[in-house]
Amino acid sequence: MLGFHVLNARDNTLMPWIFFEYAKSDPQLFQRTMQEEAKRIRGLLASRGIGYEELKSSLAPARDGIQAVFLYDWWQEPSWNYAVAFAKKYLPSLRRDLRTSMLHGDLDDRHVAMPILAMEDALVKARPQPVNWQTQYAVYFNNLRPIDVASIHRSLSDEARYAGYIDVSFAGPVRNFIERKMTPLWIIDGRKAILTHGGDDPAVSNEDPVGFDLPAYGYEVVSLVDTYFACFLSYKIEATDARQAAEDRILNLAAITGELIDTESARVLVHPNKLDKYLLREENKLRLMTNIGLQDVTPDELASVVKAKLSQSYIYDLRFAENGTPLFAVAAEFEKPDGGLTRRRLALKHDQEQRVISLVTMY
């Protein structure tokens, strides 16, 4: 049985169509069909020399990777193709072995209030100058190292249109707003750039419809039809009360378990032995638990924490254990004793006999 680093049921028609139209809302048929699609996406990527399994760090939230958005003022940009103009500035600075998902979009929103004060406070400016937040184009990266952030920022600092960057690694009003504004740009996988060429055939090609001229910067372009890129290769920025998150979780879990599971009502279990003989006994796990103030937690209390985190986030890293048990993960943030934030991944499993979600580990 094949797994998925990420499934996106929000911004495309493929998963909803398979579930409602082809499978007629039968979760077991939906699961079997998604297995066929898992083979197909792997085959499409393999035909261009890309191993799907190697894309995990680009598609699933990393515990230590930095998420950052870099801002570019598009007002009266001479070429008016400001996405391409900005790319010419930052592409040469990217690490040759970088693996990241990149999203982009304009920040201006006439329907939702911009968290301007929070953005001003978080912005690392290139120079002391006012920022027109109504004319900012943003490019988001996940899974960056500190050296990557410093390199991109330094390479852009002499560009007058570059406003600076915001670290959005942790939850807050800025990341919640950014999540609403970003759409997929590329996946950078070393020297390959994976993107969508839109809704037309062929299923896989080497098209760059916007004209970024990625080969000029040393990247081999691999493009996929939008239905496959959006479903299987579209990174989901974590956000509080993210749009369509509940519906997304239901279809994600159906794809891996073959059952309809509502995480809002599902029972979550932390077995006492999991806590006493593993999480609170093994030295490295105990250190992780202590760092987030859970060293004295009871099984029921930890189960409540897990349930809350599960209901607040997207689901990632859907796969099967060797015995066929469906596994999945959520990214969760915890406050440390010093007041700072840290990120953990909660690995979970679905017990089909007991009909419960239980904690496998935390790392």
Side-chain angles (χ1 to χ4, degrees), residues 158-187:
D158 292 334
E159 167 56 49
R161 295 182 177 276
Y162 173 60
Y165 74 89
I166 300 175
D167 186 328
V168 291
S169 299
F170 293 102
V174 177
R175 194 171 73 183
N176 290 344
F177 178 75
I178 290 294
E179 187 270 340
R180 296 177 59 91
K181 303 303 298 179
M182 298 294 101
T183 59
L185 181 57
W186 315 306
I187 295 174

Side-chain angles (χ1 to χ4, degrees), residues 1 27-28 31 250-261 318-320 324-328 349-352 357:
M1 298 285 277
Q28 293 186 353
Q31 181 195 37
I250 289 172
L251 287 186
N252 271 247
L253 287 173
I256 201 71
T257 67
E259 296 189 30
L260 292 179
I261 302 169
L318 302 103
R319 54 193 174 87
F320 296 91
T325 300
L327 305 174
F328 55 97
K349 69 178 181 180
H350 179 246
D351 189 317
Q352 293 172 310
I357 294 171

Side-chain angles (χ1 to χ4, degrees), residues 8 11 88-89 122 283 300 339 355 362:
N8 185 354
D11 300 321
K88 291 179 179 179
K89 307 293 183 181
E283 183 178 352
D300 287 344
R355 303 189 67 81
M362 182 184 301

